[in-house]
Amino acid sequence: INDNGIVSVVQEIKGYKGTVSVFNQQGNELFTRVIAANYVLSSKVSPANNMVVINSVDASGIYSRANLEFTDMMGKPAASKVINENIIFPTISFLGNDSVLGISDQGLWCFNKDGTEKWKQEFQNKKVCSTAVWGGKSAAVALKNENAAGIIDNNSTEVKIFNGSGKQTASCN
């Protein structure tokens, strides 16, 4: 549910890999897209109510790949972005009205509404434990050493904060 009350719902449907339905504030369906090629993980409606991003996984090859599909509010595809091998975005979020942040255990990727990569932050020898996006303007990411035993152990957690341009604005251990 976005801040304006527009809802996107991902559902299973027999014979397909998922559907995405979008409803307005009154509960009226704006569109439903049936997805046959990729497994749908999530979808988000932009804060400006002008775009829906469908986050899915292409598992047809040797490696899994994230796929972000940008659609208009009638479900018509506008752009698509397939990410390199072995990257999956369990979480996506909007940074501003037209930028989408894909979050994986390896880093952050930010895309324009046409699917063009704006910036990325990959974390060497670190794994993403948790993230938060607030105000549509900044993203915080908590990182642990790649070989750490768990979230709570003797290794310190590092927190980094990035603005909408991908610039690190703060960090702490």
Side-chain angles (χ1 to χ4, degrees):
I1 301 174
N2 76 356
D3 289 341
N4 301 311
I6 306 292
V7 179
S8 63
V9 179
V10 175
Q11 302 172 56
E12 286 186 55
I13 187 170
K14 190 173 182 172
Y16 296 94
K17 295 186 177 168
T19 64
V20 175
S21 299
V22 176
F23 301 89
N24 67 14
Q25 299 91 330
Q26 291 76 35
N28 298 320
E29 184 177 303
L30 298 175
F31 73 85
T32 294
R33 287 268 327 272
V34 177
I35 311 293
N38 298 327
Y39 295 97
V40 181
L41 297 177
S42 62
S43 64
K44 295 269 186 183
V45 178
S46 69
N49 299 336
N50 62 353
M51 167 178 40
V52 177
V53 178
I54 300 171
N55 176 26
S56 64
V57 175
D58 176 356
S60 63
I62 296 172
Y63 299 101
S64 297
R65 298 169 189 250
N67 184 64
L68 298 178
E69 185 177 308
F70 301 78
T71 71
D72 66 16
M73 290 303 289
M74 300 307 293
K76 180 181 172 190
S80 185
K81 178 66 177 177
V82 177
I83 311 307
N84 292 336
E85 301 170 346
N86 275 343
I87 301 291
I88 296 173
F89 298 136
T91 304
I92 60 172
S93 189
F94 276 91
L95 279 176
N97 287 326
D98 295 327
S99 296
V100 175
L101 187 66
I103 303 163
S104 83
D105 66 338
Q106 300 170 31
L108 308 173
W109 281 258
C110 188
F111 303 94
N112 287 327
K113 63 182 176 181
D114 64 0
T116 303
E117 186 177 288
K118 287 176 66 173
W119 56 266
K120 69 179 173 182
Q121 292 289 337
E122 292 183 277
F123 305 110
Q124 300 299 320
N125 302 317
K126 303 270 186 182
K127 289 289 183 184
V128 174
C129 300
S130 183
T131 58
V133 174
W134 67 94
K137 296 179 182 176
S138 299
V141 59
L143 303 166
K144 293 288 282 178
N145 289 332
E146 192 168 48
N147 54 0
I151 292 177
I152 300 173
D153 63 11
N154 292 333
N155 294 319
S156 67
T157 300
E158 182 179 8
V159 176
K160 295 183 177 194
I161 300 180
F162 298 92
N163 66 17
S165 300
K167 180 182 177 195
Q168 183 177 321
T169 58
S171 69
C172 64
N173 287 337

